[in-house]
Amino acid sequence: MITTLLVANRGEIACRIFRTCRALGIATVAVYSDADAGALHVREADTAVRLPGAAPSDTYLRGDLVVAAALAAGADAVHPGYGFLSENAGFAAAVQDAGLVWVGPPVEAIELMASKTRAKKLMAAAGVPLLAPVDPAAARAEDLPLLLKAAAGGGGRGMRIVRELGDLPGELTAAAAEALSAFGDGEVFAEPYVERGRHVEVQVMADEHDGVWALGTRDCSLQRRHQKVIEEAPAPGLDDELRDRLRDAATAAARAVGYRGAGTVEFLVAADGRPYFLEMNTRLQVEHPVTEAVFGLDLVALQLRVAEGEPLPSTAPPQPTGHAVEARLYAEDPARDWQPQTGALHLLDVPDEPGLRLDTGYTSGDTIGVHYDPMLAKVIARAPTRTEAARLLARALERSRIHGPVTNRDLLVRSLRHPDFVAARLDTGFYDRHLAALTRGADEADQRLAATAAALAAAARNATSIAGGFIRFGAWRNLPSQPQLRRYRSEPDGREHEIAYRRTRDGVAVEVEGLRVVSAGRARVTLERDDVTRHFDILARDDRVYVDTATGSHTFTALPRFTDPAERTEPGSLLAPMPGTVVRLADGLAAGATVEAGQPLIWLEAMKMEHRILAPASGTLTALHAAVGLQVEVGALLAVVTDAQEEPTA
């Protein structure tokens, strides 16, 4: 019987596992890096053990340190969560060699599925349908497009789509380099890229008594950079025959490797309805809550039960009911190449209502650092129908108050309301086609109204209170006062708004026709326009102002009346968009080199993602400050490109 469980992970998944442990009466142990010393998962655990350092390679990826931490804390079992060491057969073996219970599949099953190329051979022998591999060295034009994939690992690392034969050698090199960096294994293989394919997976749960459950389907087609963004269960629009084929194939895959515990068999479903095996994840998935919601199960509790040698509760799983949709809330800017964001999370407030679930590793006041994945939370909605679940989730996200770095919240809301999503026209190219529309700027009129509310709240904060609780906006004079001005820049789209208001005998007024100030307090402003009353909640943090409304939120930077000349940047400067590490430079890149507009010059790795820094114009690289291995802060000057049109002539 497990009495004390160490979770070899961090953040949201560690907190989620601890929640089940508390319900089962199991004591918990966290491990943490120096960067996570104050993290939520550390605060929620009964015991916590420090792993010195900040980089994953020095901490959460050090299996020897994690095993030592479990022994030092008196744990008798280890749960790997997902990511990090969760699919590392050597770590699983080390846990068991130390006399600890491994809450995961057998080492042999992990080894068999660790390499996608080996797994595909095994699945072919088991009769599971799959795409035939393509030898990159022998690829022809008719084989295109191709998908390059890392043989080890997942999460989209090492994946490239190749549409031109001439691009294949360079993309192979880049994919292999990224795979080696991410997984320590540079093996890459190629297979046909299926246009408009759907990513559909089957959750399996197996025990050591020959019991195997196939727990329905999930659709995870909405992805960015081959990483999932929105998931749902059951996968919509599949006929019974296809569901049966997927269930039977997943069960065959689990039995073929003698599986035990929770796992996921992933498929690509082509537009013609034919399914192809992609891989088997020998761990719990990020999106497991949607399956829990429709089956009424706790998959972590089942993992623990199976690890203790118990059978599954019955020979067949319970019947699913309703529909569930999950959205991953990231600190990232989708409009700017999905750049991860860092900084203080001043407020994270998601509605707590029936049908909603929040899984997170953050609370208000925490800091989003540079070392790990930028996912803030998962928000899950369950309802009797798909339409109701998607509507509930979109509205909950819209009403959430999230103050701090830029997030993908608006993208999620718009995705859930997009006609293609509503009609279940799903495939992995959704964001490639619709990103521009989904990341459009906020309506300018709504934005200006929110900026007006921000200006009035600032005026109220600078005013004085008098008897009776009213606010005096300054000494009243029997003469028209000069209007007061405040300037705001909307984030992240950069629009600037200048707001004029005037102090009156009754308080304050704005010089906008048809707009009336109903009330203006320090934290709430009510405005009326065309007989419609709207409320605005305002929170100011330094020069940032967050304005929440019933239909969305706005973030502004309060601007000084005059721009500081010292803030100007030399034209053509390439600045680091985030803190990170320079991992690659373009071949032959050096000061004096000729570059073309849009040419990738520098590759920056931050928060488990690679970002390309592109030449802003065609011209000459007049300065290069970046070098491979250099760690940079946001805003650091990496290089300078002089526009060819501005270069001096002889």
Side-chain angles (χ1 to χ4, degrees):
M1 184 175 68
I2 296 172
T3 60
T4 303
L5 178 75
L6 179 140
V7 177
N9 219 290
R10 64 175 300 277
E12 167 266 325
I13 185 57
C15 294
R16 184 265 170 273
I17 296 169
F18 292 161
R19 187 167 65 239
T20 290
C21 288
R22 286 194 295 270
L24 297 178
I26 297 174
T28 57
V29 180
V31 288
Y32 66 94
S33 69
D34 291 341
D36 274 341
L40 181 61
H41 78 279
V42 179
R43 305 197 302 264
E44 289 199 344
D46 296 314
T47 306
V49 181
R50 175 180 174 239
L51 304 177
S57 58
D58 297 328
T59 54
Y60 298 110
L61 289 173
R62 284 284 303 274
D64 56 335
L65 296 183
V66 174
V67 171
L71 296 174
D76 48 27
V78 172
H79 192 303
Y82 51 69
F84 293 131
L85 295 167
S86 61
E87 295 180 280
N88 187 303
F91 176 61
V95 168
Q96 295 175 79
D97 289 345
L100 303 168
V101 175
W102 168 248
V103 186
V107 172
E108 296 76 16
I110 299 174
E111 289 176 334
L112 288 170
M113 290 299 181
S115 167
K116 294 182 179 66
T117 51
R118 188 166 60 241
K120 284 178 177 288
K121 294 177 181 178
L122 185 64
M123 292 302 101
V128 177
L130 44 81
L131 290 165
V134 175
D135 181 2
R140 298 170 297 177
E142 52 265 36
D143 295 322
L144 300 174
L146 290 175
L147 180 63
L148 306 182
K149 300 176 72 174
R157 305 299 301 273
M159 294 182 72
R160 297 287 192 282
I161 299 173
V162 180
R163 299 185 182 278
E164 299 291 338
L165 205 58
D167 296 338
L168 184 56
E171 293 290 14
L172 271 171
T173 300
E178 187 178 5
L180 183 63
S181 172
F183 313 118
D185 184 342
E187 182 185 355
V188 174
F189 67 96
E191 63 186 18
Y193 177 68
V194 177
E195 302 279 8
R196 298 261 176 154
R198 290 178 61 181
H199 186 118
V200 178
E201 57 192 33
V202 178
Q203 174 75 57
V204 296
M205 179 67 70
D207 60 29
E208 62 184 41
H209 306 279
D210 202 36
V212 178
W213 283 358
L215 293 165
T217 57
R218 296 190 290 249
D219 189 290
C220 308
S221 297
L222 268 62
Q223 303 177 2
R224 55 100 163 102
R225 292 186 165 187
H226 309 292
Q227 294 179 317
K228 301 161 189 173
V229 177
I230 293 177
E231 307 102 343
E232 59 182 303
L238 305 184
D239 59 41
D240 290 341
E241 180 183 359
L242 180 54
R243 290 183 188 278
D244 290 343
R245 288 187 68 189
L246 295 174
R247 180 197 62 212
D248 293 345
T251 302
R255 293 194 182 282
V257 296
Y259 203 76
R260 185 179 73 244
T264 299
V265 185
E266 300 191 343
F267 299 90
L268 184 68
V269 177
D272 60 8
R274 287 185 293 176
Y276 300 101
F277 171 81
L278 286 175
E279 61 183 321
M280 183 175 187
N281 293 128
T282 53
R283 55 173 168 80
L284 199 65
Q285 293 277 87
V286 178
E287 58 272 20
H288 75 274
V290 293
T291 297
E292 292 183 322
V294 297
F295 279 91
L297 294 171
D298 183 330
L299 293 178
V300 173
L302 286 175
Q303 283 185 295
L304 295 169
R305 176 177 184 154
V306 167
E308 291 178 324
E310 294 294 318
L312 293 170
S314 59
T315 55
Q319 290 298 309
T321 59
H323 201 95
V325 186
E326 172 181 290
R328 301 190 192 186
L329 182 65
Y330 285 98
E332 66 182 11
D333 188 349
R336 289 171 170 77
D337 198 28
W338 310 95
Q339 289 176 2
Q341 307 292 301
T342 60
L345 181 64
H346 302 303
L347 181 65
L348 177 62
D349 182 16
V350 178
D352 182 11
E353 296 177 356
L356 293 175
R357 167 177 164 179
L358 176 69
D359 283 13
T360 182
Y362 290 93
T363 57
S364 301
D366 288 346
T367 298
I368 303 163
V370 302
H371 299 286
Y372 312 112
D373 186 274
M375 188 172 75
L376 296 180
K378 303 178 314 197
V379 186
I380 305 100
R382 185 200 176 279
T385 68
R386 181 178 187 268
T387 297
E388 292 171 297
R391 182 169 58 203
L392 177 62
L393 180 56
R395 183 65 179 139
L397 289 165
E398 187 175 51
R399 292 173 53 220
S400 297
R401 294 187 297 163
I402 308 164
H403 299 165
V406 174
T407 73
N408 67 337
R409 184 260 301 278
D410 290 346
L411 172 101
L412 297 174
V413 173
R414 292 169 180 172
S415 298
L416 293 164
R417 292 172 175 168
H418 192 279
D420 281 357
F421 183 85
V422 172
R425 293 190 292 266
L426 309 173
D427 65 78
T428 55
F430 179 87
Y431 287 121
D432 293 335
R433 295 191 303 276
H434 302 305
L435 186 61
L438 294 170
T439 56
R440 68 186 185 278
D443 179 82
E444 190 167 2
D446 289 345
Q447 199 177 75
R448 185 167 184 80
L449 205 59
T452 300
L456 296 175
R461 286 192 296 273
N462 292 335
T464 57
S465 297
I466 60 175
F470 295 101
I471 293 175
R472 184 185 294 279
F473 285 88
W476 180 78
R477 297 177 296 163
N478 193 22
L479 292 170
S481 64
Q482 293 300 311
Q484 304 293 307
L485 298 177
R486 290 187 184 273
R487 295 173 56 238
Y488 294 96
R489 182 180 64 237
S490 175
E491 305 296 348
D493 60 30
R495 283 186 190 144
E496 292 193 12
H497 303 274
E498 186 173 80
I499 309 300
Y501 60 92
R502 190 184 300 274
R503 304 182 192 278
T504 71
R505 183 173 186 174
D506 298 322
V508 66
V510 290
E511 299 181 337
V512 179
E513 184 177 354
L515 184 63
R516 185 173 73 90
V517 181
V518 178
S519 65
R522 294 177 173 88
R524 173 166 266 222
V525 171
T526 301
L527 302 175
E528 181 189 283
R529 168 179 269 171
D530 299 329
D531 297 325
V532 177
T533 300
R534 293 180 173 87
H535 304 290
F536 301 82
D537 294 308
I538 297 98
L539 176 69
R541 295 277 186 169
D542 299 322
D543 64 344
R544 282 293 173 100
V545 184
Y546 305 95
V547 182
D548 295 301
T549 76
T551 56
S553 300
H554 303 268
T555 301
F556 300 99
T557 297
L559 300 175
R561 292 186 63 186
F562 305 103
T563 304
D564 183 352
E567 295 180 355
R568 296 173 183 166
T569 303
E570 182 180 352
S573 295
L574 278 68
L575 306 181
M578 71 213 67
T581 303
V582 176
V583 294
R584 183 181 167 197
L585 300 177
D587 291 341
L589 191 67
T594 300
V595 299
E596 298 294 328
Q599 176 187 346
L601 302 180
I602 301 165
W603 282 257
L604 192 67
E605 185 177 90
M607 300 169 80
K608 297 175 63 178
M609 296 175 68
E610 248 185 34
H611 304 268
R612 300 182 305 167
I613 310 299
L614 310 179
S618 297
T620 303
L621 188 77
T622 52
L624 178 62
H625 303 286
V628 173
L630 179 68
Q631 292 188 334
V632 298
E633 295 298 321
V634 62
L637 181 63
L638 302 177
V640 178
V641 174
T642 300
D643 193 322
Q645 297 180 356
E646 299 177 0
E647 291 180 5
T649 57

